[in-house]
Amino acid sequence: MTPAPLYGPDFGSYPAEDVAWLLKDLSGVRLEAPTEEREAAIQAGRAHYAESLPVEYQPGPEYRRLFHRALEESAERVAHAVGLVTELVLAARGPDAVLVSLARAGTPVGILARRWARFAHGLDLPHYAISIVRGRGIDTVALRHLAAHHDPARVMFVDGWTGKGAILRELTAALDGHAAATGVRFPADLAVLADPGRCTPLHGTRDDFLVPSACLNSTVSGLVSRTVLNDRLIGPGDYHGAKFYAELAADDVSAVFLDAVCARFPDVAERVAKDAPEALDADRAAGRAADWSGWEAVRRVGAEHGVDDLNLVKPGVGETTRVLLRRVPWKVLARADAGAELDHIRLLAAERGVPVAEVDPAALPYACVGLIHPRFAKGRAQ
């Protein structure tokens, strides 16, 4: 037996049909800590990043305007990527595919993929959100629930984007370990909206562009926190945990994001139908193959800036945004040709006093890279 899934509106602001959360509700527990305090504890090895939560960033009026502008400008681009990656998922898993998004960045994408499958094919795909934690692995209780209700071979894991590919490596290792321990094999494929790290052939695009759901935290992710794995709160039979920030309902734009993208589905349907066969064509498979060139780029950036721990190098627009929203940022590297795509990055960096260095586009395959401060301890930069 495994715990029952959580559904909105009791947990999260998404409609119940959009996603079943395989999480433990920790809404009543105080888990937030000041950013500097968390960073010092994480880097000193006194705590794991998943044991607590950062204080949720509350954007000001200018940043909110940037979000809405970015959504208006990119909704069609996101819709096309959603359509393309969903077609790849259906080709790989068939009409009885089971979408399992990696909470929380993967959850809006999983919902969009589910809605595309319904829009384009009349399918009603199951969609779950589960937790995976870097360095700790995937939620095995959630896997047990999935295996009890679905054929594991039909499961497709979904995330928002790739940075350097650390989560895909974590997913592969965790599923290998789970198969060895239980005999139950889940495929380690990962479908993502954007794959600038070139880690997976299952992607909607490899462009490093702003996915508007990366701009914010819970208020664009169903008012759900990032996931928590804390031994004081999570027992052997529990799912990993998360909080529902119901008090932020007035600022919730989760539905705004989904509806804006779904409204563009009819506009991109013909183009997706044209592009999908090319993406599926075996003769062109090499063009979609994963060469992990993003990981090598991160190694170069780390070496150039004296950062030995590559966990502190966060490539891509989505990961750089996360650095500025919930870590202690050191500096941002931005391609000189990135333009307005990085307006929200520049605004966040200015708010936090973080320098943004423009670099030669030929030297960086990502639009930007965020560097977490590598010498942060005792509440201050060393």
Side-chain angles (χ1 to χ4, degrees):
M1 296 294 291
T2 54
L6 301 173
Y7 296 94
D10 295 327
F11 184 85
S13 63
Y14 293 131
E17 67 173 20
D18 273 340
V19 60
W21 301 93
L22 299 185
L23 296 171
K24 181 178 181 179
D25 188 356
L26 300 179
S27 300
V29 182
R30 181 169 178 78
L31 289 163
E32 293 77 12
T35 302
E36 291 79 6
E37 180 183 309
R38 288 184 78 247
E39 194 66 45
I42 292 167
Q43 292 199 24
R46 298 193 307 273
H48 189 275
Y49 78 92
E51 292 174 345
S52 63
L53 292 171
V55 176
E56 285 279 312
Y57 169 75
Q58 296 305 307
E62 184 178 358
Y63 192 84
R64 291 172 197 246
R65 283 194 294 272
L66 283 177
F67 166 79
H68 288 286
R69 190 182 79 190
L71 180 57
E72 181 179 352
E73 293 175 353
S74 67
E76 184 170 322
R77 191 177 185 182
V78 173
H80 177 265
V82 166
L84 190 56
V85 73
T86 308
E87 295 301 323
L88 295 175
V89 169
L90 293 173
R93 295 291 188 270
D96 53 349
V98 179
L99 303 174
V100 179
S101 58
L102 303 180
R104 73 183 163 188
T107 305
V109 178
I111 292 173
L112 287 170
R114 184 181 186 280
R115 292 188 180 185
W116 177 272
R118 184 173 54 196
F119 160 79
H121 303 285
L123 297 174
D124 187 20
L125 302 183
H127 174 218
Y128 298 87
I130 71 172
S131 169
I132 186 169
V133 175
R134 181 174 48 78
R136 301 284 180 88
I138 200 163
D139 187 339
T140 56
V141 178
L143 292 183
R144 196 161 75 237
H145 181 93
L146 292 171
H149 293 83
H150 303 280
D151 178 359
R154 298 297 101 199
V155 166
M156 178 65 75
F157 294 97
V158 178
D159 207 356
W161 55 85
T162 61
K164 55 183 175 285
I167 286 297
L168 180 52
R169 289 176 184 243
E170 188 79 40
L171 178 67
T172 301
L175 294 177
D176 284 346
H178 182 264
T182 67
V184 178
R185 166 61 70 178
F186 286 87
D189 299 328
L190 182 65
V192 297
L193 194 65
D195 179 38
R198 300 185 67 88
C199 306
T200 173
L202 298 169
H203 57 267
T205 180
R206 280 203 162 121
D207 294 340
D208 185 19
F209 77 104
L210 173 60
V211 179
S213 60
C215 280
L216 301 168
N217 288 319
S218 68
T219 53
V220 77
S221 304
L223 298 181
V224 174
S225 75
R226 63 163 305 140
T227 60
V228 173
L229 183 54
N230 186 316
D231 290 343
R232 294 185 300 104
L233 303 168
I234 308 299
D238 292 333
Y239 300 130
H240 295 187
K243 295 182 73 167
F244 170 31
Y245 291 117
E247 67 274 15
L248 299 180
D251 298 318
D252 189 18
V253 292
S254 304
V256 172
F257 169 68
L258 295 175
D259 291 346
V261 176
C262 291
R264 303 298 181 92
F265 284 176
D267 301 329
V268 302
E270 185 175 341
R271 188 150 50 98
V272 169
K274 173 181 174 293
D275 293 345
E278 289 190 19
L280 292 166
D281 192 328
D283 293 336
R284 296 178 175 83
R288 297 183 66 83
D291 61 17
W292 293 83
S293 55
W295 191 279
E296 293 307 312
V298 166
R299 288 184 185 277
R300 291 196 302 272
V301 169
E304 290 167 6
H305 294 269
V307 179
D308 297 325
D309 182 357
L310 296 188
N311 289 324
L312 303 181
V313 181
K314 302 293 187 181
V317 178
E319 294 302 300
T320 301
T321 304
R322 285 175 163 183
V323 169
L324 291 165
L325 287 177
R326 62 195 198 207
R327 300 297 293 270
V328 176
W330 183 30
K331 62 179 80 171
V332 172
L333 311 180
R335 284 172 56 119
D337 61 350
E341 193 81 62
L342 300 185
D343 281 354
H344 77 292
I345 295 284
R346 296 187 181 95
L347 176 59
L348 286 173
E351 287 181 353
R352 301 200 62 180
V354 177
V356 178
E358 292 200 346
V359 299
D360 183 351
L364 197 65
Y366 298 94
C368 58
V369 174
L371 292 135
I372 297 170
H373 205 295
R375 293 175 297 279
F376 198 85
K378 299 180 181 177
R380 60 190 178 87
Q382 301 298 300

